[in-house]
Amino acid sequence: MLRNFYLHSIVLFYTTLILGQIRKQPNIQFETNYIDAVDHWVVLPQKTTDLNYLLGYVYLDDIVGFTFAFYGELSVDSFSNWKLQENLQYYIVKSALDSKTPPIHQLTSKETNRLHLPEKPLWLQLYDQREKTPEQLILQAYHYNKANRSDLALPILENVFSIKPKTKNLIFELCFAYNALGKYEKAIDLLRNELKHDAKNYMLYRELGFALLQLNEFEEAENLYEQGMKMCDNTAQQREMAIDMAQTFFAIKDEKRFEKWAAILRK
């Protein structure tokens, strides 16, 4: 009986200790993709060797792309609330974010208010006061396309198209987004027209060929890929185009055309 009492007491002690440790941790969910946290304060997941969390702001830099601007370190107080240990007011530390970035925690408005954070860092407020040019907007959309988030690139690009449709690189990025979202007919119409004015741009041939492949227009798509490859002096791009064609004809069991593109790929 006494033995059971001691055993129960030990279990109760450790349960209380563990629960107490859990309660000291904030109720964090690291489940937000950095792309969905643009223009928000965030907390990076804690590394096993770190005592504190990293606080920062995510924004989209025209040139660098998605960027984490480090603001300071956070700890957890006895009431399970965030506590700012140190903030950087006089210099800025930035880090580019990419596909290897793990899910992060986006701070709620309640959490940002408790930490007395501004809506966005002051230096970024000054940076964002400038009106974005069509060229800068296309660069932003490029980063969304590159990150496989053409759903976020498309509204930007369609807006630029309505304002300044002749902006350099606009048609390619817009059609890339249309193709990524399965809007092949829209891409085809724009690309056919654009090739009348920019007939030496191999990337336009590739995007048009890709859209036609999705609609089973294999012969025309193959001709476009061939034209694009002749104009391209980039071996890596040529290889990718050959892979596109070889995979397509393998999938539809067109042995003759598959062997043709496989031979090109081997070269």
Side-chain angles (χ1 to χ4, degrees), residues 187-188 191-192 195-196 199 201-213 217-232 241 245 249 260-261:
I188 289 170
L191 288 165
R192 287 195 193 282
L195 279 170
K196 297 175 184 177
N201 188 337
Y202 73 89
M203 292 302 291
L204 297 179
Y205 287 93
R206 181 178 179 181
E207 282 304 307
L208 178 54
F210 177 85
L212 290 166
L213 283 177
E217 300 289 343
F218 300 118
E219 185 173 349
E220 185 179 359
E222 184 177 25
N223 290 334
L224 287 163
Y225 269 76
E226 288 174 337
Q227 292 179 65
M229 287 185 68
K230 289 177 183 177
M231 296 173 187
C232 177
M241 285 190 275
M245 298 308 296
F249 293 125
K260 169 187 171 180
W261 286 95

Side-chain angles (χ1 to χ4, degrees), residues 84-129:
L84 187 59
Q85 294 295 301
E86 178 185 9
N87 67 296
L88 309 176
Q89 298 181 2
Y90 305 108
Y91 61 97
I92 303 168
V93 178
K94 299 180 182 179
S95 177
L97 304 173
D98 56 28
S99 59
K100 296 179 182 178
T101 303
I104 59 183
H105 173 69
Q106 181 178 310
L107 290 179
T108 64
S109 56
K110 184 178 180 180
E111 289 173 319
T112 55
N113 290 335
R114 185 180 288 130
L115 291 167
H116 304 291
L117 296 173
E119 183 178 351
K120 63 175 61 177
L122 179 58
W123 62 267
L124 190 55
Q125 292 180 37
L126 299 173
Y127 176 80
D128 284 346
Q129 283 179 357

Side-chain angles (χ1 to χ4, degrees), residues 38-53:
V38 170
D39 294 330
H40 287 92
W41 290 99
V42 303
V43 180
L44 297 187
Q46 187 185 45
K47 295 181 180 179
T48 55
T49 55
D50 294 340
L51 296 176
N52 295 327
Y53 297 83

Side-chain angles (χ1 to χ4, degrees), residues 22-258:
I22 292 174
R23 291 192 188 102
K24 289 182 181 180
Q25 300 301 316
N27 184 22
I28 323 171
Q29 291 184 329
F30 293 99
E31 59 182 13
T32 302
N33 186 291
Y34 67 89
I35 297 175
D36 296 314
V38 170
D39 294 330
H40 287 92
W41 290 99
V42 303
V43 180
L44 297 187
Q46 187 185 45
K47 295 181 180 179
T48 55
T49 55
D50 294 340
L51 296 176
N52 295 327
Y53 297 83
L54 299 184
L55 167 68
Y57 194 87
V58 176
Y59 74 102
L60 179 52
D61 183 277
D62 299 341
I63 305 301
V64 178
F66 301 98
T67 305
F68 174 81
F70 176 57
Y71 188 78
E73 293 189 357
L74 293 175
S75 62
V76 183
D77 66 18
S78 57
F79 297 99
S80 300
N81 294 321
W82 293 117
K83 182 178 179 182
L84 187 59
Q85 294 295 301
E86 178 185 9
N87 67 296
L88 309 176
Q89 298 181 2
Y90 305 108
Y91 61 97
I92 303 168
V93 178
K94 299 180 182 179
S95 177
L97 304 173
D98 56 28
S99 59
K100 296 179 182 178
T101 303
I104 59 183
H105 173 69
Q106 181 178 310
L107 290 179
T108 64
S109 56
K110 184 178 180 180
E111 289 173 319
T112 55
N113 290 335
R114 185 180 288 130
L115 291 167
H116 304 291
L117 296 173
E119 183 178 351
K120 63 175 61 177
L122 179 58
W123 62 267
L124 190 55
Q125 292 180 37
L126 299 173
Y127 176 80
D128 284 346
Q129 283 179 357
R130 305 173 303 161
E131 185 176 353
K132 296 284 186 183
T133 66
E135 290 77 12
Q136 289 173 315
L137 291 171
I138 291 171
L139 276 174
Q140 288 191 337
Y142 158 78
H143 291 297
Y144 281 119
N145 273 336
K146 185 179 178 182
N148 297 319
R149 290 302 303 269
S150 294
D151 58 313
L152 299 177
L154 186 58
I156 299 172
L157 295 164
E158 289 185 326
N159 179 53
V160 175
F161 187 76
S162 68
I163 299 169
K164 193 177 178 182
K166 300 297 183 181
T167 308
K168 185 178 180 181
N169 296 327
L170 171 60
I171 297 301
F172 172 77
E173 291 297 336
L174 179 56
C175 292
F176 184 98
Y178 280 144
N179 277 341
L181 298 172
K183 302 177 184 291
Y184 307 119
E185 290 84 359
K186 287 189 174 183
I188 289 170
D189 290 341
L190 284 174
L191 288 165
R192 287 195 193 282
N193 184 64
E194 186 67 9
L195 279 170
K196 297 175 184 177
H197 310 288
D198 191 7
K200 294 185 178 181
N201 188 337
Y202 73 89
M203 292 302 291
L204 297 179
Y205 287 93
R206 181 178 179 181
E207 282 304 307
L208 178 54
F210 177 85
L212 290 166
L213 283 177
Q214 311 315 307
L215 301 178
N216 298 329
E217 300 289 343
F218 300 118
E219 185 173 349
E220 185 179 359
E222 184 177 25
N223 290 334
L224 287 163
Y225 269 76
E226 288 174 337
Q227 292 179 65
M229 287 185 68
K230 289 177 183 177
M231 296 173 187
C232 177
D233 58 2
N234 184 311
T235 304
Q237 289 291 340
Q238 290 177 329
R239 185 182 301 114
E240 286 190 23
M241 285 190 275
I243 289 173
D244 284 350
M245 298 308 296
Q247 289 178 334
T248 297
F249 293 125
F250 179 82
I252 64 172
K253 297 181 173 59
D254 188 329
E255 186 176 348
K256 184 177 179 180
R257 282 175 167 164
F258 168 73

